[in-house]
Amino acid sequence: MERFITAPEKRGLDLRSNQQNMPRRKVLGMLSAAGAGMALSPRAFAQSVGGGPRIIDTHHHIFPPVFTARNLKRMTDDSPTFPESFYTNWSPRYSLEQMDRNGVATAIGSMTSPGVWFGNNEEGRKNARDCNEYGAKLAQDFPGRFGMWGAIPLPDTDGSLHEIEYIYDTLKLDGIGLLTSYDDGKLLGHPNFAPVLEELNRRKAVIFVHPTVSCCGFPIAHVNRVAIDYPTDTTRTITDLIYSGSLLRFPNIRWIFSHGGGTVLMLTPRLAGGGLTPEERAATIPNGFEHELQKLYFDIASVALSPIPMAAVLKGIPKEHLLFGSDIPFFTIERIATAVNKFDLSAGDLRMIQRENALQLLPRLKA
């Protein structure tokens, strides 16, 4: 969300079909799901990618119409750069047309900041359920084209645990989508979230983490507030997960962090535990801070647009842990796909980033 939209991209956004008034339909034959925005022939987009690169886009935002209408002011307040129409005009057709033009076989949908919980647990549970059922319906209507990182209503622990059960056992979604912090800046390693991480560890979950503006964000004139605070909050929560011991306690969770991990690679020398006692080091980073970083996965949304941050990502993170992410609709798929193709990568490394690494996390897509 950290940029202005160019004129060509605005024209692309104007192509979206506004289909927000469609009636809701049942999910998986038994769920009351939001079917709005899906009034197009699934067959027309079922296997349209053909012989292209068959990219898997792991950072692809969707805006379920019922949820969006109910929370539109919260969304525009969170990112005032974008008008209401930016969110309300999103449709599956817009995503699919971009995907087909740029060789994306499958997009894993997710909710972006400000998330689904706004202080009221009952409302948060309803928001999460509406979004997850919409995502499940999207995947059902367009086989092979969509997946979903399920939303949970953190910091509501009981509601989150209940929704995790529904996400995995009923909807069969691909994993969980979290924000970097909740409830006035509580990072993901906070003790309040340990029961949720314990359950996700038990389920060997893949967790996609998207940044938000925490309690600690500061505005700067002429700069969209998310430009600095998003990557900063990503760095905070990664560091918190490491030093809280969460990565060691929950080793079965596979974490994906957005935008190349924020600023964490730049700050590694400052974050590497120089002030720890030997006992503290053994308990939290027995193999070093950088070793813990390399356990994580990172998408290349936004950072791929500049060779400087991308050089750090390619040097600091194993290529086996890099994933393609477009950050649609805040960026176009074309911009990210074109940028990635310009880097000095072998065909094999490019294939890993575009598809093969994601298949290790999402084996259902191998079929």
Side-chain angles (χ1 to χ4, degrees):
M1 295 187 191
E2 48 267 55
R3 63 180 186 86
F4 293 103
I5 304 174
T6 64
E9 289 175 61
K10 185 178 186 302
R11 288 195 295 271
L13 295 176
D14 290 340
L15 294 174
R16 299 175 178 179
S17 299
N18 190 343
Q19 301 172 48
Q20 317 312 322
N21 297 319
M22 293 292 296
R24 299 181 69 190
R25 299 176 288 178
K26 291 184 179 179
V27 171
L28 306 178
M30 61 181 289
L31 307 173
S32 175
M38 297 186 186
L40 60 160
S41 169
R43 291 184 180 179
F45 290 96
Q47 299 295 333
S48 301
V49 177
R54 300 193 61 77
I55 295 167
I56 298 172
D57 183 358
T58 61
H59 187 157
H60 190 109
H61 297 306
I62 64 173
F63 299 96
V66 172
F67 165 82
T68 299
R70 190 164 61 237
N71 296 286
L72 188 56
K73 186 178 187 305
R74 288 163 168 159
M75 297 165 79
T76 54
D77 286 349
D78 186 71
S79 187
T81 300
F82 300 97
E84 291 185 356
S85 59
F86 188 85
Y87 304 98
T88 58
N89 285 352
W90 176 85
S91 72
R93 180 180 294 276
Y94 171 72
S95 284
L96 287 161
E97 287 175 348
Q98 278 210 38
M99 289 161 65
D100 285 350
R101 285 197 300 269
N102 295 284
V104 174
T106 307
I108 311 300
S110 59
M111 307 310 298
T112 189
S113 181
V116 299
W117 185 89
F118 304 105
N120 180 286
N121 286 351
E122 182 178 352
E123 180 189 35
R125 295 176 188 189
K126 178 176 175 54
N127 284 336
R129 182 61 54 91
D130 285 351
C131 293
N132 293 332
E133 290 185 347
Y134 183 90
K137 186 63 176 173
L138 195 62
Q140 183 187 46
D141 276 2
F142 304 98
R145 303 310 309 276
F146 288 101
M148 179 75 177
W149 304 122
I152 60 175
L154 274 181
D156 171 11
T157 299
D158 289 341
S160 294
L161 291 172
H162 184 69
E163 194 64 20
I164 288 167
E165 180 181 14
Y166 189 68
I167 284 167
Y168 280 98
D169 298 343
T170 300
L171 297 181
K172 312 292 185 183
L173 300 183
D174 293 296
I176 302 296
L178 298 180
L179 297 179
T180 47
S181 61
Y182 294 89
D183 196 19
D184 293 327
K186 292 182 177 66
L187 300 166
L188 293 180
H190 194 280
N192 287 7
F193 305 145
V196 171
L197 295 186
E198 182 176 357
E199 173 61 12
L200 292 173
N201 184 69
R202 185 184 74 82
R203 290 183 178 269
K204 298 179 172 61
V206 179
I207 300 179
F208 170 78
V209 182
H210 192 276
T212 189
V213 177
S214 75
C215 64
C216 308
F218 297 99
I220 296 176
H222 311 300
V223 178
N224 184 341
R225 65 178 185 159
V226 308
I228 294 174
D229 290 309
Y230 269 22
T232 300
D233 216 48
T234 296
T235 298
R236 286 193 190 102
T237 212
I238 291 172
T239 306
D240 187 50
L241 285 168
I242 292 173
Y243 283 119
S244 68
S246 298
L247 291 191
L248 293 180
R249 289 203 311 276
F250 308 119
N252 296 325
I253 295 175
R254 287 153 301 164
W255 298 89
I256 302 170
F257 289 91
S258 303
H259 312 125
T263 60
V264 72
L265 292 175
M266 301 297 104
L267 297 178
T268 295
R270 292 176 173 267
L271 303 174
L276 296 181
T277 66
E279 293 77 17
E280 290 169 334
R281 180 177 294 275
T284 55
I285 52 171
N287 299 303
F289 187 86
E290 291 186 35
H291 176 82
E292 298 304 310
L293 278 185
Q294 295 192 8
K295 295 178 181 178
L296 310 175
Y297 289 80
F298 301 86
D299 74 47
I300 58 170
S302 78
V303 293
L305 297 177
S306 171
I308 298 173
M310 195 64 181
V313 169
L314 291 172
K315 184 72 172 178
I317 303 300
K319 292 186 179 67
E320 293 81 4
H321 280 214
L322 298 178
L323 304 167
F324 184 92
S326 69
D327 208 353
I328 189 174
F330 302 102
F331 293 85
T332 63
I333 296 175
E334 181 180 10
R335 285 193 74 195
I336 304 299
T338 300
V340 173
N341 284 323
K342 292 180 180 179
F343 290 105
D344 186 18
L345 294 167
S346 69
D349 287 345
L350 183 61
R351 182 72 173 172
M352 281 198 300
I353 294 170
Q354 289 180 327
R355 181 173 177 85
E356 299 298 332
N357 295 339
L359 290 179
Q360 301 305 309
L361 301 175
L362 304 167
R364 73 170 182 88
L365 298 178
K366 292 181 179 180

